């Protein structure tokens, strides 16, 4: 049975075959909600590196599957058990869907809940995502968007933002301490530079692209280092600005084969490297672990309370996203082409509801 006020079909961009372009087609609109679900009218969605992993079959996603796990929109309908949202609320989609509530992670601290091994899936990764006119998300994992934060800023925060935020939280640094971001000029990296700067950290931005180095510098990195000069020169440059010690913590955002090893090498003795990038294998010389006591910690997004805290932080500190906007789901092939060309700085976003985003912009400009 159709949900009141919602059309029976909607436009969506789907993965229908691995290693093939998205198919943009009309599909049925969701017709029912589980007790904790929200139906969102999608306003903006964005492209993430993980989308290419989904398209290539890394997660064995059941096809067809609507792409994009970075989305936001307005609540059109609510499940029967939802109490902390209402119709019309602006929401950033949470990725986990339907955790079980009885496994060790669900019964443990909230910071572990999103690791539930019995999830129905992850939005846009193993279940339908945000490259559509409507999407279903779990209210228990989703967050209210502050009035000061636009949809175009909120969408990339659903994965890129909360992932680098979670990495910084796990690093456990205090104001004045140093962090290196390896891959500082990408979608996650430029947000990490802004977050870290607002947290009072000293930032070393490492990248291997001219566009990335410029974006890291413009996003708040105190020092930028060109990794193309080689590992030893990169280490030398980092030690030069850290009293010869290396940074307190490094965060690996690049999936280049040698990125994790470089991140460990620029980290001080007994320091921590946070691994966020997802190469097939993470390769680090044994000496970094054994003789330098570098601790490596993986990080996967962050719990809902951190997501809400992040969005409030974005509003308070005017964090901005460098976006490359495309208007309408039909433009997604052009976005993918730009992203795969290797020259895109920041995040590629799709404005799904152009009329609403125009109204939103006008309101912010006082028109």
């Amino acid at each position: 049975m159709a949900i009141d006020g919602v059309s029976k079909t909607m436009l969506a961009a789907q993965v229908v075959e691995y290693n093939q372009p998205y198919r943009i087609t009309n599909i049925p609109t969701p017709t029912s909600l589980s007790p904790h679900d929200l139906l969102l009218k999608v306003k903006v969605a964005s492209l993430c590196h993980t989308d290419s992993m989904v398209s290539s079959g890394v997660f064995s996603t059941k096809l067809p599957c609507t792409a994009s796990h970075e989305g936001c929109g307005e609540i059109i309908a609510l499940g029967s058990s939802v109490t902390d949202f209402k119709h019309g609320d602006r929401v950033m989609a949470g990725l986990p869907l339907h955790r079980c509530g009885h496994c060790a992670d669900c019964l443990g601290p909230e910071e572990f809940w999103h690791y539930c091994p019995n999830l129905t899936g992850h939005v846009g990764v193993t279940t339908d995502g945000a490259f559509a006119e409507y999407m279903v998300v779990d209210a228990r994992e989703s967050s209210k968007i502050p009035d000061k934060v636009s949809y175009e800023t909120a969408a990339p925060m659903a994965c890129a933002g909360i992932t680098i935020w979670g990495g910084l939280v796990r690093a456990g640094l205090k104001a004045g301490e140093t962090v290196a971001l390896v891959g500082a000029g990408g979608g996650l990296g430029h947000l990490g530079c802004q977050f870290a700067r607002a947290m009072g950290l000293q930032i070393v931005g490492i990248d291997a692209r001219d566009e990335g180095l410029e974006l890291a510098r413009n996003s708040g990195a105190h020092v930028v280092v060109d990794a193309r000069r080689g590992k030893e020169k990169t280490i030398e440059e980092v030690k030069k600005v850290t009293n010869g010690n290396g940074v307190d913590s490094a965060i690996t955002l690049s999936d280049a084969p040698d990125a994790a090893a470089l991140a460990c090498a620029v980290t001080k003795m007994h320091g921590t490297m946070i691994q966020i990038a997802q190469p097939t294998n993470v390769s680090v010389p044994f000496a970094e672990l054994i003789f330098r006591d570098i601790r490596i910690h993986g990080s996967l997004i962050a719990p809902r309370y951190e997501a809400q805290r992040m969005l409030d932080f974005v509003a308070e500190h005017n964090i901005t996203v460098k976006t490359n906007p495309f208007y309408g789901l039909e433009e997604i092939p052009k976005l993918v082409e730009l992203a795969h060309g290797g020259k895109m700085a920041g995040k590629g976003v799709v404005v799904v509801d152009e009329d609403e985003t125009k109204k939103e912009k006008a309101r912010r400009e006082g028109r």
Side-chain angles (χ1 to χ4, degrees), residues 159-200:
C159 179
I162 193 56
T163 297
I164 183 59
W165 176 273
L168 286 165
V169 169
R170 287 193 178 227
L173 299 175
K174 301 185 293 291
E177 292 186 311
T178 54
V179 62
L181 302 179
V182 179
L188 278 73
H190 87 290
L191 293 174
C193 287
Q194 294 178 73
F195 286 151
R197 185 98 183 200
M199 291 173 179

Side-chain angles (χ1 to χ4, degrees), residues 81-98:
S81 297
V82 177
T83 59
D84 48 355
F85 290 96
K86 64 182 185 303
H87 284 85
D89 279 350
R90 303 166 68 245
V91 171
M92 182 186 77
L95 273 67
L97 194 66
H98 305 156

Side-chain angles (χ1 to χ4, degrees), residues 21-97:
Y22 294 137
R23 179 180 294 172
I24 300 172
T25 184
N26 281 292
I27 64 172
T29 302
T31 57
S32 62
L33 299 176
S34 296
H36 296 286
D37 285 349
L38 302 173
L39 180 66
L40 303 184
K41 181 173 175 57
V42 179
K43 302 301 182 181
V44 178
S46 54
L47 190 71
C48 176
H49 173 68
T50 304
D51 290 310
S52 65
M53 299 171 71
V54 174
S55 293
S56 61
V58 170
F59 302 106
S60 300
T61 303
K62 184 179 178 181
L63 303 182
C65 181
T66 302
S68 179
H69 54 281
E70 294 184 336
C72 60
E74 178 186 342
I75 295 177
I76 300 300
L78 305 90
S80 59
S81 297
V82 177
T83 59
D84 48 355
F85 290 96
K86 64 182 185 303
H87 284 85
D89 279 350
R90 303 166 68 245
V91 171
M92 182 186 77
L95 273 67
L97 194 66

Side-chain angles (χ1 to χ4, degrees), residues 276-350:
I276 286 178
Q278 300 173 10
T280 302
N281 295 294
V282 176
S283 181
V284 174
F286 75 89
E288 300 291 357
L289 308 178
I290 308 302
F291 293 106
R292 299 190 61 243
D293 189 33
I294 302 299
R295 296 93 186 274
I296 298 178
H297 202 319
S299 186
L300 172 69
I301 55 174
R304 178 188 177 184
Y305 72 87
E306 286 291 356
Q308 192 64 62
R309 191 170 153 239
M310 173 197 69
L311 286 171
D312 293 340
F313 190 91
V314 168
E316 179 183 354
H317 294 278
N318 297 313
I319 304 297
T320 59
V321 184
K322 168 64 175 173
T323 61
N324 302 266
F326 289 77
Y327 296 91
L329 293 164
E330 300 91 342
E331 297 296 296
I332 288 176
K334 296 179 182 178
L335 166 57
V336 173
E337 182 181 3
L338 175 65
H340 290 179
K343 295 293 184 181
M344 185 170 72
K347 293 288 292 183
V349 304
V350 178

Side-chain angles (χ1 to χ4, degrees), residues 214-252:
E214 180 180 4
L215 183 56
R217 185 180 294 108
N218 293 339
S219 299
H222 296 87
V223 176
V224 295
V225 180
D226 189 342
R228 291 172 296 189
R229 300 178 66 187
K231 180 178 179 179
E232 296 307 317
K233 187 64 177 177
T234 300
I235 296 170
E236 179 185 329
E237 291 297 313
V238 173
K239 287 191 172 182
K240 191 182 298 183
V241 296
T242 56
N243 296 318
N245 297 317
V247 296
D248 294 294
S249 182
I251 301 178
T252 306

